[in-house]
Amino acid sequence: EAQVTQNPRYLITVTGKKLTVTCSQNMNHEYMSWYRQDPGLGLRQIYYSMNVEVTDKGDVPEGYKVSRKEKRNFPLILESPSPNQTSLYFCASRGLAGGQEYFGPGTRLTVT
Amino acid sequence: GENVEQHPSTLSVQEGDSAVIKCTYSDSASNYFPWYKQELGKGPQLIIDIRSNVGEKKDQRIAVTLNKTAKHFSLHITETQPEDSAVYFCAAKPPGYSTLTFGKGTMLLVSP
């Protein structure tokens, strides 16, 4: 089954404690992306990657890092989380030239 | 960059009525316009998309129309059912190796 998986699904942490949210896809997609979803603001792109070892900033990259060492994985790293990063995060993937973007189930992060 | 405006932000209809959600985009080069449905607790899922060489596309009870001159596109849902209740996002993408830009979403509530 074609899918994008994210872990963990729910995470409560404290300010400053480094965390990583994993994302993996089984569709051999070149393009992967991270979004955050906040009430009234819709889906805003954090970072994206066109292929292995190629990453670019999206609209709201501050406070986040990503890496793309393998085609299937695209982890999101928060080196020093702050309360304003409390949000619902989605990973997505698609083929490089376009077409349907497949979303993961989401990770709800709370930073206290 | 691309900017997508979506209206209304919330829409309440009675079961059996039609629902229309409208989006405008700013980049005249955009040529791919998908619509996503997000049910509670899940990631967005593609429900229909249209490319700029087509003015209208229909899939059972849902249809999308595109007016390239005015740079707007709309989602039409006929004979709405309670299971249509969800958040709907429009998006636009220019050609080539580029990213999707999403609207802020419309919460559709269909009352029995």
Side-chain angles (χ1 to χ4, degrees):
Chain A
E1 180 193 354
Q3 61 180 354
V4 178
T5 56
Q6 295 178 228
N7 282 292
R9 295 289 314 278
Y10 303 91
L11 180 58
I12 300 174
T13 190
V14 295
T15 299
K17 187 176 181 182
K18 181 180 178 179
L19 67 92
T20 300
V21 183
T22 64
C23 172
S24 183
Q25 50 95 4
N26 63 359
M27 294 166 279
N28 201 36
H29 285 159
E30 295 88 357
Y31 178 95
M32 297 185 74
S33 180
W34 276 103
Y35 298 89
R36 61 178 289 174
Q37 184 177 15
D38 302 288
L41 298 178
L43 291 161
R44 294 182 293 168
Q45 191 176 53
I46 303 170
Y47 268 95
Y48 64 97
S49 169
M50 293 289 189
N51 217 323
V52 175
E53 302 292 0
V54 180
T55 62
D56 268 303
K57 295 178 181 179
D59 298 319
V60 289
E62 294 77 22
Y64 304 94
K65 283 176 59 177
V66 293
S67 69
R68 188 87 183 275
K69 294 185 171 60
E70 305 163 284
K71 198 172 186 179
R72 64 182 293 125
N73 296 323
F74 190 44
L76 179 70
I77 303 154
L78 284 72
E79 295 266 4
S80 183
S82 63
N84 64 11
Q85 292 178 300
T86 292
S87 188
L88 179 58
Y89 291 86
F90 289 101
C91 180
S93 75
R94 62 168 165 85
L96 190 59
Q100 181 178 349
E101 197 150 323
Y102 293 84
F103 283 79
T107 295
R108 185 165 293 281
L109 171 66
T110 301
V111 183
T112 61
Chain B
E2 176 65 276
N3 182 51
V4 177
E5 300 279 343
Q6 183 172 347
H7 299 279
S9 55
T10 58
L11 179 59
S12 293
V13 300
Q14 292 290 120
E15 183 176 1
D17 288 349
S18 294
V20 180
I21 302 170
K22 299 181 179 181
C23 290
T24 60
Y25 61 99
S26 62
D27 187 349
S28 56
S30 286
N31 67 345
Y32 177 64
F33 307 93
W35 285 89
Y36 285 81
K37 176 183 181 181
Q38 185 182 20
E39 296 176 335
L40 199 61
K42 297 184 178 180
Q45 277 199 301
L46 182 75
I47 54 170
I48 194 167
D49 57 12
I50 192 168
R51 297 191 183 272
S52 59
N53 58 345
V54 175
E56 183 174 358
K57 185 175 179 180
K58 193 172 182 181
D59 183 3
Q60 299 183 336
R61 294 186 299 107
I62 60 173
V64 57
T65 58
L66 171 65
N67 183 327
K68 284 193 300 180
T69 304
K71 289 191 283 188
H72 68 69
F73 56 113
S74 300
L75 177 71
H76 305 253
I77 306 174
T78 59
E79 300 170 24
T80 54
Q81 301 165 4
E83 50 265 40
D84 294 328
S85 296
V87 178
Y88 291 81
F89 291 98
C90 64
K93 180 186 167 305
Y97 303 152
S98 55
T99 64
L100 278 175
T101 300
F102 286 87
K104 287 184 167 47
T106 297
M107 180 175 291
L108 173 65
L109 178 61
V110 181
S111 303

